[in-house]
Amino acid sequence: MLRHVPHTRACVQAAIDTVKSARSFGPGTSLVEKHYRIAGNPAGLNRIEEMYSLMLKVLDRPDFYCTLDTTDEGEGISTVAFARLGGFFLADAAGKIKFRRGAWVASGIEDFAAFVFIHEMRHFVEGSSDIGHHAKGWVTDESMLRLRPDQTVFNCDTFAGFALEARNGEMQRPGWVKGTAFR
Ligand SMILES: [Zn+2]
């Protein structure tokens, strides 16, 4: 997974640049609106940008913030990965992003790896008690389209999908999104 830190970083940086651009040129046709639907709300844009900026700090020290689930504590949580809510703000080993055996599949597909990474980092850098599982899947999925703006700005998969499209341009729904079960 750490092999994909550069690609994940490029996605997160593209997300920040896209939010900055939406701030300058207005919501209009922005990719921000497709994913977050906040109608250019400045507080919403600030929150989104802040979250991605914190993710860059995680990606600055991936060896420190990420590890493997060597104790199998995540067996009942996810086969792929899990992260402590707000773990970034805890001291040392109290909070880490933990990858599990299912991450092996994601590690072979760079966009899949980035998606998992960004989903987990949203948990990890969250300062509120919002877990971020309002809906899972791709931006065009019904459950994702039903999210209110006050949910999109907390939703892990929204952060992941937006960053991928910010980097790659608008994408067909990736096959690996379906049936993905990570927390
Ligand atoms: Zn999750």
Side-chain angles (χ1 to χ4, degrees), residues 33-104:
E33 283 312 295
K34 176 182 176 184
H35 289 261
Y36 291 98
R37 298 187 294 279
I38 56 173
N41 176 279
L45 290 172
N46 287 345
R47 175 183 153 77
I48 297 165
E49 188 177 342
E50 188 188 341
M51 297 302 282
Y52 285 122
S53 299
L54 287 168
M55 290 180 196
L56 288 182
K57 292 179 196 272
V58 176
L59 295 171
D60 282 342
R61 298 180 71 192
D63 289 313
F64 179 72
Y65 289 118
C66 303
T67 189
L68 296 171
D69 179 17
T70 53
T71 63
D72 258 356
E73 64 176 305
E75 187 59 31
I77 303 173
S78 165
T79 57
V80 181
F82 62 103
R84 180 170 295 194
L85 186 65
F88 177 76
F89 304 104
L90 302 174
D92 294 348
K96 300 243 184 201
I97 294 170
K98 296 188 178 176
F99 294 115
R100 310 198 70 246
R101 60 182 178 278
W104 184 82

Side-chain angles (χ1 to χ4, degrees), residues 119-120 123 131-133 136 156 182-183:
H119 176 114
E120 296 306 328
H123 290 307
I131 291 167
H133 289 162
K136 290 187 179 180
C156 296
F182 56 90
R183 298 283 293 271

Side-chain angles (χ1 to χ4, degrees), residues 100-150:
R100 310 198 70 246
R101 60 182 178 278
W104 184 82
V105 178
S107 74
I109 306 169
E110 67 171 5
D111 280 341
F112 190 3
F115 193 93
V116 170
F117 236 127
I118 295 166
H119 176 114
E120 296 306 328
M121 286 196 292
R122 209 291 348 201
H123 290 307
F124 197 60
V125 302
E126 179 60 55
S128 82
S129 60
D130 193 308
I131 291 167
H133 289 162
H134 298 283
K136 290 187 179 180
W138 193 243
V139 60
T140 49
D141 293 354
E142 243 179 76
S143 61
M144 295 285 280
L145 290 170
R146 274 200 298 269
L147 293 176
R148 301 186 310 264
D150 62 309

